[in-house]
Structures are given as structure tokens and as C-alpha cells.
Amino acid sequence: MGFPEVAQFRTLTQQRAELEKEWERWATAPNTAAPPPRTTLLRSDVAQSWQRSLHTVDPAVTVAPGLADIGDKWSESPLRTPITELSADLRGITEDAGYLAVVTDEAGTIMWSCGDRTLRRQGEAVNFAPGGCWDETHMGTNGLSLALHDDRACSVFSAEHLVAALHGWVCYSAPIHAPDGRQVGVLDLSSSWDRSHPAVMTSVRALVTAVETMLRAAEPAPTPGVRLECLGTARLMRDGRPVPLPPRQLEILALLALEPDGFTPEQLHAAVYGDRAVSTSTLKADVSHLRRATGGEITNRRYLLTGPVACDAVDLLAAVAAGDTTSAVWLYRGPLLPGSDTPGVMQWRAYLDVGVRNAVLASDRAEHAVAFGERAPGDIEVHEHALRLLPLDDVRRAVVAARLHTALRT
């Protein structure tokens, strides 16, 4: 063992010893559900997880509960195909590095595992294996449960685990999201505590990105019907095929989609042209063309959509109204019809931008600010918010810091 490795081992040994003392203060206290000491050495997320877990989990438990049969559940899981395709890479990474890889469902039940043979046997002894239930309610603080609860990548080292039987482990976990933003599981790399290294988290993030990319690529082909995409782009699709339309008609269709009660001819004229001297016949001609493009789904005397027209801006509006920040950030691909100076579009653009931005700034999840910051590179406050939320060892800090630096210089 070379000098750097010796120094690292001593550091890890000291860290583990200090955490074991802290664990003793918590786990053996007369009232284990009491608030932690103000001087606790635990990270805030771990301390909060311990407080939640101690209500339902005995730190002396030695094995995770399990499901008898997960075969059908795994065969129906959206993760089965991408994990199967990545299985050779996962086996190579884990067997070479002395790690164990597991994949859970959205509830924290392990669906699949691979890795170092010795570690697999050790994992099976605590049911860290397919069928094992590793959510916070059943097994307290661990990498899988913390990633699920906080919806972010995280590590749990040695005696940061609430259950004493897990103090010999280190876990690096990250949640996996479906294309619509829902959690569908967790990918975790675990090993013995002395193999702890921050570079492992980089591998976990890269693997999760690969899985999520495969999930997006596996989305079903476009379903029949009319769909308007107007966030960061402008195009109309009908039965999965693009319908060429001039910008003005796309603007009118976006306004009709966002206003389900429709417009009088005068209201739509004002929303499209403002104070400009444009004849009503021009608007009628544009609406007439739209009827043909959408299959005749626009009424005459009052302009409104009578047939189903899917629209990403409408989906975004619904997510914001429901307080679903995860879906809102995922749906936000850019401003509404960028470049349009139509009065009605400009009002809706500002409304949607402000709605998503406020939701992101009110969120305590770094993922929201990081993702939204990619679409709003000039937003200083969003980048600063992301840096406040990101852990100091999070590799994404470099990207966010670069965005902030650029925004400040603009």
C-alpha cells in the first residue's frame, strides 16, 4: 500500500471511529426519537433521516425484510431493458473495483444486482439482494433510502447507516427518473467502508444518465392526433408527422390551446396583432388554414378548440398549477415560442417563465435549479440557488459555477 493509500485509509479509519461514537450517542439513548444534539457530527441530511427512521427501525436489526417473488415485477419494470443492456458494463465496473451494484424499484425494493462475489455473499447475509426492502421505513438511513427520499444522488458511509449491521459498508446511490420526471428506482454501488472514494459517485451519475437516456429513447412512437410543441421550439405534429405552418398560425394555435374557453374574433385579433392595423379577413384566413391543418377542430363564431390538441405549454401550465416542480422543470424546454412578438404570446411566455422560476427558487432540491439553469443561463439568482443546495463534493458545482460566472459577466 503506497503512501497516498495509507493516508486515505487513516482518514477513513478516523472518520469511521468518530461516526461510531456519534452513532452510540443516538442509537443507545433512552429516547432514540429525541432531537439530535446541536453539536452532532452528522451531515444534516443523515441526521434528519435518523430522526425519521428511529420511529420505525431498530438499529440492532440484522437483516432487511423481503418479498418472496419479484420476478413478475422486474419483468414489467421500465428499468429491466436498460439495465439488461448495461449489465456487462455494470459487471465489469463492480468486479474490477470490488463493488456491488443493485437496482431498486420506486419503493426501494431491490430488483437486480451484480458484482464482486464475496460482497454478494455479504450482501445476501443482510438481504442486500433482489427482494430486499431498503426504504427508510424498513432499513433506516442508507444510500438507497436517502436517494429515494431526497430525490438526489447521495453517499452513506459506515456508521452513517442507522443499522449497526451496515457499518462496514459504504453506499453511493442516485435516483433514476422516467421521461416524465417520476422516480422509477435507484442505482447503487456499494462496497466495504475502506474502499470509499468520491470518484465512485461520478460513475453512479454516469450510469444513471445512461439509463435515463435509454428510457427516453424507448418512449412509444407518437400516438395518433395533433400535438403542438411550442416551448423552445415551434412545430405542429399530426399523427406523428410534422405539419408545415407559418409562425403566425402556430402563434394562434398556441393561444387557442392555452385559452380553453376561446376568444371572440375581436379578442383573438387583439391578442395576435395588438394595435397594428391588420384586417379581420387576415385573421379569418389564418384560422381557416388552421382548421384544415388540425382536422377542423376550431369553431366559427367564437374561436376555440373543440378537438383534442396536445400541447407542451398546456402540460407545463398544469404542472405549475399543481405544484409539481419536477414535471415542470422537465417539461420546460425553453420560452414559449421564442422570438414571437405577438402580444398574447408574450404575456403567456412571461407567465410560464415566472411560474417555473418561482417554483424552482422555492424548491429545496438542487436538481430543479441545476436543470432550470441550463435553460436559463443568464439567471444569476437560479445559479446561486443551485450552489447553495449542492453539496460541496457534488461534481455539478463546477458546471453551475461556470454558468454563474458567465451570467455575471454578461
Side-chain angles (χ1 to χ4, degrees), residues 332-405:
Y332 186 83
R333 305 302 174 89
L336 177 69
L337 295 175
S340 171
D341 60 356
T342 294
V345 170
M346 293 174 67
Q347 290 177 3
W348 272 111
R349 181 189 301 147
Y351 183 89
L352 293 170
D353 287 354
V354 170
V356 179
R357 183 177 186 271
N358 285 346
V360 167
L361 292 175
S363 171
D364 61 359
R365 285 170 46 188
E367 284 74 12
H368 293 157
V370 174
F372 184 71
E374 181 180 356
R375 304 295 183 184
D379 198 319
I380 294 171
E381 189 175 358
V382 167
H383 303 324
E384 291 176 338
H385 183 57
L387 288 176
R388 283 194 296 270
L389 295 175
L390 286 169
L392 294 178
D393 61 350
D394 196 303
V395 295
R396 292 170 296 176
R397 290 184 65 89
V399 174
V400 176
R403 291 174 184 167
L404 177 59
H405 177 72

Side-chain angles (χ1 to χ4, degrees), residues 63 100 113 119-130 169:
V63 62
L100 180 64
S113 70
L119 277 179
R120 291 186 71 175
R121 287 198 296 268
Q122 294 174 1
E124 289 167 359
V126 292
N127 204 18
F128 192 61
W169 292 78

Side-chain angles (χ1 to χ4, degrees), residues 23-159:
W23 182 86
E24 288 286 343
R25 296 172 66 190
W26 283 66
T28 62
N31 181 10
T32 55
R38 290 188 177 183
T39 57
T40 180
L41 298 175
L42 295 177
R43 292 178 289 137
S44 60
D45 56 345
V46 172
Q48 291 165 10
S49 177
W50 279 21
Q51 284 184 280
R52 294 189 300 265
S53 303
L54 282 166
H55 291 284
T56 60
V57 178
D58 180 357
V61 68
T62 59
V63 62
L67 302 180
D69 184 10
I70 59 166
D72 290 342
K73 193 168 187 179
W74 178 236
S75 66
E76 297 170 1
S77 170
L79 295 177
R80 183 176 180 274
T81 297
I83 293 300
T84 300
E85 292 183 18
L86 288 172
S87 61
D89 295 323
L90 284 163
R91 287 189 172 89
I93 292 170
T94 53
E95 292 172 3
D96 290 345
Y99 266 75
L100 180 64
V102 302
V103 175
T104 78
D105 64 6
E106 71 283 357
T109 301
I110 297 177
M111 296 281 107
W112 181 92
S113 70
C114 75
D116 180 87
R117 184 176 300 177
T118 300
L119 277 179
R120 291 186 71 175
R121 287 198 296 268
Q122 294 174 1
E124 289 167 359
V126 292
N127 204 18
F128 192 61
C133 299
W134 285 79
D135 60 304
E136 200 172 70
T137 302
H138 290 102
M139 285 301 283
T141 308
N142 61 81
L144 287 69
S145 67
L146 200 56
L148 281 173
H149 184 277
D150 291 358
D151 197 22
R152 65 176 180 83
C154 60
S155 63
V156 174
F157 171 76
S158 184

